[in-house]
């Protein structure tokens, strides 16, 4: 007795819906993503075996290189604006709303607070490491040690923003993660420059901080 032939169904799949979803997702990511700006001061960090990673947000990065130049970076744009407002009040400098908007998009800088207006007025191509002399830092806790003020005010601004957000969400405002402070130094940088930064952090009881290094291979 012969076998009954089973009618084969078509194996073609309509990919129209999947293509539409893929292009919608691609368009969404392209429109919402922001390009990461290159670092103004590029340093060659020392290698190490540590694979620990910094958190994605709420980080302050202190970069030192080029014979002691200090640059400052705040990962959160809202913290940048709040910090600059507090620094302006301390050093008696007034910034316009337009300047605050420019500073919000400025990832790192290496100038004194007195020349901040000049930096904000410059074009992106003019904000090179060669034209920035670095943030003033010394062994005191006075206003002359501007790095001390930047770190302190950034920590205060971050804590305030996170506490206000926690209160809005009905969470405990005391249960927030404090800002992470990291130092990224050139491998050839001399110890006195690094020591000034470390002492500046210790003078405000910021005894916990990270060193950014390159990964050493076996």
């Amino acid at each position: 007795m012969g076998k009954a032939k089973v009618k084969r169904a078509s194996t073609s799949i309509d990919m129209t819906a999947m293509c539409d979803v893929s292009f919608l997702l691609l368009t969404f990511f392209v429109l919402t993503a922001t390009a990461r700006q290159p670092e103004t001061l590029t340093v060659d960090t020392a290698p190490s075996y540590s694979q620990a990673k910094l958190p994605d947000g709420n980080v302050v990065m202190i970069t030192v290189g080029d014979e002691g130049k200090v640059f400052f970076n705040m990962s959160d744009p809202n913290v940048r604006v709040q910090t600059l407002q507090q620094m302006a009040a301390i050093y008696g400098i007034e910034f316009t709303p337009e300047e605050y908007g420019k500073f919000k998009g400025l990832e790192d800088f290496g100038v004194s607070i007195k020349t901040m207006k000049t930096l904000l007025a410059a074009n992106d191509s003019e904000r090179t490491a060669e034209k920035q002399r670095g943030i003033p830092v010394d062994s005191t806790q006075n206003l002359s040690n501007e790095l001390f003020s930047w770190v302190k005010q950034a920590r205060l601004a971050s804590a305030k923003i996170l506490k206000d957000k926690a209160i809005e969400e009905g969470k405990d405002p005391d249960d927030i993660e404090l800002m992470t402070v990291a130092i990224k130094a050139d491998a050839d940088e001399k110890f006195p420059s690094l020591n000034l930064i470390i002492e500046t952090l210790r003078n405000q009881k910021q005894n916990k901080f990270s060193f950014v290094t390159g990964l050493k291979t076996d």
Side-chain angles (χ1 to χ4, degrees):
M1 183 175 178
K3 295 182 179 179
K5 293 183 178 180
V6 180
K7 186 178 180 181
R8 295 183 178 180
S10 176
T11 57
S12 62
I13 301 175
D14 188 1
M15 300 292 291
T16 304
M18 185 174 293
C19 291
D20 290 342
V21 172
S22 300
F23 278 110
L24 284 174
L25 290 174
L26 179 61
T27 303
F28 170 78
F29 287 118
V30 169
L31 294 177
T32 57
T34 55
R36 181 177 178 84
Q37 297 181 359
E39 294 179 342
T40 305
L41 180 63
T42 304
V43 296
D44 186 13
T45 58
S48 71
Y49 290 107
S50 175
Q51 298 185 8
K53 295 183 179 179
L54 291 174
D56 295 331
N58 199 26
V59 177
V60 154
M61 181 76 70
I62 303 171
T63 305
V64 55
D66 194 11
E67 298 182 356
K69 282 187 178 181
V70 177
F71 280 65
F72 197 67
N73 177 297
M74 291 169 280
S75 62
D76 191 333
N78 295 322
V79 173
R80 294 175 200 163
V81 175
Q82 182 69 31
T83 303
L84 184 60
Q85 290 174 348
Q86 295 167 185
M87 290 288 290
I90 293 173
Y91 287 88
I93 301 175
E94 294 184 1
F95 293 96
T96 64
E98 182 181 359
E99 289 172 334
Y100 280 115
K102 289 183 178 180
F103 187 78
K104 186 176 183 178
L106 195 65
E107 290 201 359
D108 63 346
F109 58 92
V111 297
S112 65
I113 189 67
K114 294 181 179 179
T115 58
M116 181 61 72
K117 283 180 170 290
T118 304
L119 180 67
L120 295 176
N123 298 326
D124 293 340
S125 59
E126 298 174 344
R127 298 171 184 163
T128 60
E130 291 76 13
K131 295 184 178 181
Q132 300 187 48
R133 297 183 178 181
I135 298 175
V137 54
D138 54 43
S139 59
T140 70
Q141 300 182 37
N142 302 327
L143 293 181
S144 60
N145 188 353
E146 294 186 14
L147 180 63
F148 181 93
S149 300
W150 278 112
V151 174
K152 182 179 179 179
Q153 299 307 318
R155 294 173 61 195
L156 293 174
S158 172
K160 183 179 184 302
I161 291 174
L162 291 177
K163 286 183 178 181
D164 291 343
K165 183 179 179 181
I167 293 175
E168 291 179 0
E169 296 176 352
K171 300 179 181 178
D172 186 1
D174 295 328
D175 189 20
I176 61 172
E177 294 185 5
L178 298 178
M179 173 175 280
T180 300
V181 179
I183 300 175
K184 186 176 183 180
D186 192 274
D188 296 329
E189 193 61 40
K190 296 181 180 179
F191 177 75
S193 300
L194 291 174
N195 189 51
L196 281 178
I197 296 175
I198 295 173
E199 289 301 318
T200 295
L201 297 178
R202 288 178 176 174
N203 286 340
Q204 52 185 280
K205 298 181 180 180
Q206 179 67 44
N207 296 316
K208 184 179 180 180
F209 50 87
S210 302
F211 272 102
V212 178
T213 58
L215 184 61
K216 182 186 291 185
T217 58
D218 292 335

